[in-house]
């Protein structure tokens, strides 16, 4: 996880600096191409001090970082193809160029309208060339580091009969995997708990299911058991596996295809946009609700001495536990004997202010904090 954060930080710093460099390069070319700019400012350094250029240098780099984030570029930095990287870079540069043109270039007075479009293309080329080159260098370094530190992945092969072992090893080898253990099934039935236990124990990195080894119910049980550790289930497909529909995802496209059915993969752009919406909405919600939370906290303190907030452990994404925080709506000794009890409308343990908070769900306003830190989602 720390490595992934460092890689993301490296991309962010690189994108920020290359955007700055692209603006400076474009400003230099623009100064040389547009005669009016050359005559007005006399020198390139004087042109850089122009109000519009200073605003561009200040606001365009962070805007481009936001654009790159929303296109999903920073979501999965350790597992992406060069083509995917190229397309996302082109998309981000195109959005940034159009935004810059609408805000800055269209306000310029030029003798010919076509010159504005030529400058737009020139700006896009400057930005793309620098950004793509630096990203290519960083991606190459990351891939070499991962390849150097990466050990062969050890998979359990689930076979319909022992005669399939050779095929399973050949298929696994084509994907850089090692068959470290096997399990033979009969009629699509297997001891799913035993298979899952072997994988979750840490000795294995995933499961390779050969076609016909498990029926649909068996694969579904295996998916459920391996959901928490987020381990891959790769399937050599037959006709029955297509019943999983959109859950399927090609893991590689070399030789015989394998399908990764462990989990549905949302597009990186969707994941990034959803997280951005969560952060923005939670931050705004907390700011707007802060005065109300403060007033409710004072009333709770007056009606019942003790902590204002109530904390409780909940199970979140991938069964990961987290602590949820709510405004306390009951007396401090509501569960003095440590025995949970369901509350009712006329429950004497509920504070007077607690009834109001529960009616309008005001005690859950602080849940926005869990959304802000990524433990929950709107």
């Amino acid at each position: 996880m720390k490595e992934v954060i460092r890689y993301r930080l490296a991309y962010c710093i690189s994108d920020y600096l290359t955007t700055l460099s692209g603006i400076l390069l474009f400003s230099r070319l623009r100064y040389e191409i547009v005669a009016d700019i050359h005559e007005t400012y006399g020198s390139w350094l004087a042109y850089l001090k122009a109000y519009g250029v200073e605003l561009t240098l200040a606001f365009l780099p962070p805007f481009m970082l936001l654009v790159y984030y929303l296109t999903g570029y920073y979501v999965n930095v350790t597992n992406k193809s060069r083509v995917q990287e190229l397309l996302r870079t082109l998309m981000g540069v195109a959005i940034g160029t159009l935004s810059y043109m609408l805000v800055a270039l269209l306000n310029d007075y030029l003798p010919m309208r076509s010159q504005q479009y030529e400058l737009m293309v020139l700006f896009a080329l400057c930005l793309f060339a620098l950004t793509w080159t630096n990203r290519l260098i960083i991606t190459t370094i990351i891939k070499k580091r991962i390849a150097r530190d990466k050990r062969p992945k050890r998979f359990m092969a689930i076979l319909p009969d022992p005669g399939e072992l050779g095929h399973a090893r050949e298929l696994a080898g084509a994907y850089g995997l090692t068959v470290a253990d096997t399990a033979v099934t009969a009629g699509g039935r297997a001891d799913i708990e035993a298979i899952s236990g072997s994988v979750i124990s840490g000795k294995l990195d995933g499961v390779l299911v050969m076609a016909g080894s498990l029926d649909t119910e068996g694969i579904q049980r295996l998916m459920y058991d391996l959901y928490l550790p987020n381990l891959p289930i790769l399937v050599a497909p037959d006709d029955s596996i297509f019943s999983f529909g959109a859950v399927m995802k090609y893991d590689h496209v070399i030789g015989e295809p394998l399908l990764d059915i462990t989990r549905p993969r949302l597009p990186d752009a969707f994941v990034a946009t959803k997280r951005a919406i969560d952060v923005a909405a939670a931050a705004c919600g907390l700011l707007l609700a802060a005065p109300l939370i403060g007033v409710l906290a004072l009333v709770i303190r007056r009606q019942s001495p003790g902590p204002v907030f109530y904390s409780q452990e909940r199970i979140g994404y991938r069964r990961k536990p987290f602590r949820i925080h709510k405004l306390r709506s009951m007396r401090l000794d509501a569960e003095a004997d440590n025995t949970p009890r369901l509350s009712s409308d006329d429950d004497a343990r509920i504070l007077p202010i607690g009834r109001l908070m529960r009616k309008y769900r005001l005690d859950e306003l602080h849940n926005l904090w869990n959304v802000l830190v990524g433990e929950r989602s709107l």
Side-chain angles (χ1 to χ4, degrees), residues 16-69:
Y16 188 91
L17 294 178
T18 51
T19 302
L20 272 179
S21 302
I23 296 170
L24 291 173
L25 177 60
F26 171 72
S27 299
R28 178 67 188 186
L29 295 174
R30 189 181 180 194
Y31 172 78
E32 297 294 340
I33 293 172
V34 181
D36 289 346
I37 295 177
H38 193 88
E39 294 174 0
T40 302
Y41 293 96
S43 70
W44 179 57
L45 293 178
Y47 174 57
L48 289 181
K49 296 179 181 179
Y51 181 70
V53 178
E54 288 183 339
L55 284 180
T56 302
L57 289 170
F59 291 105
L60 189 57
F63 173 76
M64 291 303 301
L65 289 183
L66 177 62
V67 169
Y68 294 143
Y69 172 77

Side-chain angles (χ1 to χ4, degrees), residues 312-340:
Q312 190 179 49
E313 187 175 273
R314 299 286 177 87
I315 302 300
Y317 184 59
R318 297 200 181 281
R319 306 179 199 169
K320 182 179 179 181
F322 70 97
R323 299 204 69 82
I324 192 172
H325 305 285
K326 301 170 68 174
L327 288 165
R328 183 165 58 89
S329 59
M330 286 188 170
R331 298 197 315 264
L332 196 60
D333 59 349
E335 295 178 354
D337 56 356
N338 294 324
T339 302

